[in-house]
């Protein structure tokens, strides 16, 4: 995609209100991920109360959630490309927050499953429109950092969920944690349209694309889908991200249960030490990746793929050591490695997809990216780890989760290979699609 710049070659300045919009959308994303992660954070007390197995827990955080989250994102993306994207984010936040409250009121596995699927339904409308809004607030050359800051939502949301969710659950009950955080989300949903204004679509892209006709023209649904799935760049970015998420969601959804059940960690320890590891590790990695993407993609587009490939290669030995560690304090120290290095793919793939397509295809393309990577990663990761743990439990009742987590090692290798293939494709002079898509 061609970009605009000032006379001295620098990117144009960030427009007024961009940082306020980024901050608000970031906080909505924090709540998005916080609500999503509460189930894994409070897995043990939920299991103790509702008597559900690891397989059922994996389905709740994996396939059941992913099915609604991923496939609803497509019609939501289509709608947001044609309407006010800010209002879509606001309504979505309200739906998932109300569903989070319903999770806290659930009395059995069936009620909790329906509530979790509704959380996924709502959260499908939060991220893809936000990607496009941020891209229209920040000029090329500043988008990697802006999207990197936005993608700090997951680690901050996870850390806050751990700290507040575990603390509330320890002091009161796991139900109160869901209800309290859901109420906060409803308030934020009401405030969002007053603090974030809808930016002009494509207003900071090349002059030919920024005209009202080009930027606001309704992109055809099937045309955008055909463009996405016919592009090796976009498909490889989504597949590489999806396979990576098998590890991140498989590990993330069972890490607290693993540390508590097999390493002897207590809920009060989780609220402090695990929260710090997630905030420092995951947050630092996502922030660093945004900075490195803006720096190195100016030299070569291959950096969009090489950065995730290298970071995952470095993460693998730390992951193996984390699973092996004989005590929870050592496991947490070693967990800093994969938490920092596992998430370079996120800002990289999001920025690549947003740069590759036309302004009026950005929400839909972001939704397709989320569809592929989350249905693979979120749908397979927790579901597989939960089922594997139950399978190994008969012969290894004391460390079934440890063995299940070991089986994710080959998945790392597949993700690394996919990103190296993407780097080769990006190195071809004909790989760019944005100008003609």
């Amino acid at each position: 995609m061609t970009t605009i710049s000032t006379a001295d070659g620098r990117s144009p300045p960030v427009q007024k209100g961009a940082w306020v919009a980024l901050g608000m959308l970031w906080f909505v994303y924090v709540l998005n991920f916080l609500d999503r992660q509460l189930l894994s954070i409070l897995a043990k007390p939920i299991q103790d109360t509702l008597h559900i197995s690891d397989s059922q827990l994996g389905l709740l955080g994996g396939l059941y959630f992913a099915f609604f989250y991923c496939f609803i994102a497509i019609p939501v993306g289509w709608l947001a490309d044609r309407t006010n994207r800010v209002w879509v984010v606001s309504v979505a936040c309200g739906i998932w927050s109300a569903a989070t409250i319903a999770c806290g009121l659930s009395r059995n596995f069936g009620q909790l499953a329906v509530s979790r699927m509704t959380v996924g339904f709502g959260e499908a409308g939060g991220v893809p429109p936000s990607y496009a809004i941020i891209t229209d607030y920040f000029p090329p050359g500043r988008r990697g950092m802006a999207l990197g800051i936005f993608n700090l939502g997951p680690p901050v949301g996870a850390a806050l969920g751990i700290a507040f969710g575990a603390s509330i659950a320890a002091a009161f009950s796991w139900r109160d944690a869901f209800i309290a955080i859901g109420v906060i989300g409803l308030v934020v949903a009401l405030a969002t349209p007053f603090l974030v204004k809808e930016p002009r679509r494509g207003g900071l892209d090349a002059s030919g694309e920024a005209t009202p006709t080009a930027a606001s023209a309704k992109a055809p649904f099937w045309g955008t889908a055909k463009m996405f799935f016919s592009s090796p760049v976009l498909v490889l970015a989504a597949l590489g991200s999806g396979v990576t998420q098998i590890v991140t969601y498989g590990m993330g959804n069972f890490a607290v249960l693993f540390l508590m059940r097999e390493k002897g960690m207590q809920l009060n320890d989780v609220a402090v030490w695990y929260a710090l590891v997630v905030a420092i590790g995951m947050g630092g990695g996502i922030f660093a990746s945004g900075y490195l993407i803006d720096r190195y993609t100016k030299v070569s587009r291959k950096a969009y793929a090489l950065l995730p490939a290298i970071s995952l290669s470095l993460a693998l030995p730390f992951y193996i050591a984390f699973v092996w560690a004989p005590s929870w304090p050592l496991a947490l120290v070693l967990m800093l490695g994969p938490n920092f290095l596992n998430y370079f793919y996120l800002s990289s793939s999001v920025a690549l997809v947003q740069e590759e397509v036309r302004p009026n295809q950005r929400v839909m393309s972001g939704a397709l990216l989320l569809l592929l990577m989350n249905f693979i990663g979120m749908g397979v990761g927790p579901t597989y780890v939960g089922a594997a743990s139950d399978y190994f439990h008969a012969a290894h009742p004391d460390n079934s989760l440890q063995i299940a987590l070991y089986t994710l090692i080959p998945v790392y290798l597949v993700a690394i290979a996919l990103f190296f293939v993407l780097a080769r494709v990006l190195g071809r002079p004909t790989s760019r699609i944005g100008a003609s898509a």
Side-chain angles (χ1 to χ4, degrees):
M1 178 174 288
T2 309
T3 59
I4 56 175
S5 62
T6 57
D8 58 4
R10 294 178 300 176
S11 297
V14 175
Q15 61 177 298
K16 183 179 180 181
W19 293 108
V20 173
L22 176 60
M24 190 63 188
L25 292 172
W26 170 83
F27 189 64
V28 172
Y29 198 11
V30 167
L31 292 175
N32 179 303
F33 210 82
L34 196 162
D35 291 355
R36 189 186 314 176
Q37 291 298 299
L38 274 181
L39 181 72
S40 61
I41 294 162
L42 303 176
K44 193 170 187 309
I46 291 172
Q47 279 190 325
D48 293 342
T49 302
L50 300 183
H51 308 292
I52 61 178
S53 67
D54 286 357
S55 294
Q56 289 176 315
L57 194 66
L59 286 169
L60 288 172
L63 188 62
Y64 290 171
F65 183 92
F67 185 84
F68 279 81
Y69 181 80
C70 295
F71 287 99
I72 295 300
I74 302 305
V76 168
W78 177 85
L79 177 67
D81 269 332
R82 286 159 170 75
T83 58
N84 188 296
R85 296 167 292 184
V86 175
W87 276 101
V88 171
V89 172
S90 176
V91 172
C93 183
I95 292 173
W96 84 60
S97 298
T100 298
I101 295 173
C103 288
L105 300 175
S106 298
R107 296 296 171 183
N108 53 53
F109 173 76
Q111 292 176 2
L112 185 58
V114 172
S115 299
R116 287 294 295 174
M117 287 187 283
T118 308
V119 171
F121 178 90
E123 290 189 2
V127 179
S130 296
Y131 285 154
I133 294 168
I134 292 167
T135 302
D136 283 336
Y137 263 116
F138 289 84
R142 306 291 294 275
R143 289 170 178 165
M145 178 59 75
L147 289 168
I149 292 172
F150 176 71
N151 283 325
L152 285 172
V156 174
L160 288 176
I162 296 160
F164 290 105
S167 297
I168 294 170
F172 302 100
S173 77
W174 64 267
R175 298 183 186 279
D176 294 321
F178 277 95
I179 293 169
I181 292 170
V183 170
I184 293 172
L186 291 176
V187 174
V188 171
L190 294 173
T192 298
F194 297 98
L195 296 174
V196 181
K197 303 303 178 185
E198 178 79 2
R200 185 159 67 94
R201 298 171 196 257
L204 295 176
D205 293 297
S207 58
E209 294 176 275
T211 61
T213 300
S216 62
K218 306 297 187 290
F221 178 90
W222 292 113
T224 301
K226 181 180 179 182
M227 174 278 299
F228 189 98
F229 288 107
S230 64
S231 165
V233 169
L234 301 184
V235 171
L236 279 169
L239 289 177
S241 299
V243 174
T244 303
Q245 284 193 344
I246 293 177
V247 175
T248 60
Y249 277 110
M251 171 187 172
N253 276 45
F254 283 94
V256 173
L257 185 61
F258 171 60
L259 291 168
M260 291 182 68
R261 196 167 72 192
E262 298 187 12
K263 304 293 185 183
M265 201 173 188
Q266 299 299 312
L267 201 55
N268 287 328
D269 298 321
V270 171
V272 178
W273 300 114
Y274 186 73
L276 284 174
V277 167
V278 170
I280 295 170
M282 193 191 305
I286 290 177
F287 185 80
S289 68
Y291 169 79
L292 293 172
I293 288 164
D294 277 345
R295 178 173 180 178
Y296 288 105
T297 54
K298 293 176 182 177
V299 179
S300 171
R301 293 174 70 238
K302 293 169 67 175
Y304 282 118
L306 289 177
L307 284 170
I310 293 170
S311 69
L312 289 172
S313 300
L314 295 173
L316 180 55
F318 286 102
Y319 174 79
I320 296 171
F322 156 73
V323 179
W324 161 84
S327 65
W328 70 260
L330 179 59
L332 281 183
V333 172
L334 293 168
M335 193 182 185
L336 280 169
N339 266 12
F340 183 87
L341 294 163
N342 276 350
Y343 294 91
F344 276 53
Y345 79 92
L346 186 57
S347 296
S348 183
S349 294
V350 169
L352 175 60
V353 170
Q354 295 294 303
E355 290 283 356
E356 285 290 299
V357 304
R358 294 202 306 253
N360 63 342
Q361 295 175 320
R362 282 178 176 150
V363 179
M364 180 65 179
S365 296
L368 289 168
L369 171 67
L370 291 179
L371 167 66
L372 281 179
M373 72 180 191
N374 284 329
F375 195 69
I376 294 170
M378 191 187 303
V380 174
T383 306
Y384 164 74
V385 171
S389 177
D390 279 350
Y391 174 79
F392 291 122
H393 187 266
H396 305 276
D398 295 329
N399 66 332
S400 61
L401 261 177
Q402 181 184 47
I403 299 172
L405 290 172
Y406 271 133
T407 64
L408 292 178
I409 293 171
V411 182
Y412 263 107
L413 302 178
V414 175
I416 292 165
L418 285 168
F419 280 114
F420 275 123
V421 173
L422 175 59
R424 290 188 61 185
V425 173
L426 287 171
R428 299 171 186 168
T430 57
S431 68
R432 188 179 293 274
I433 65 169
S436 59

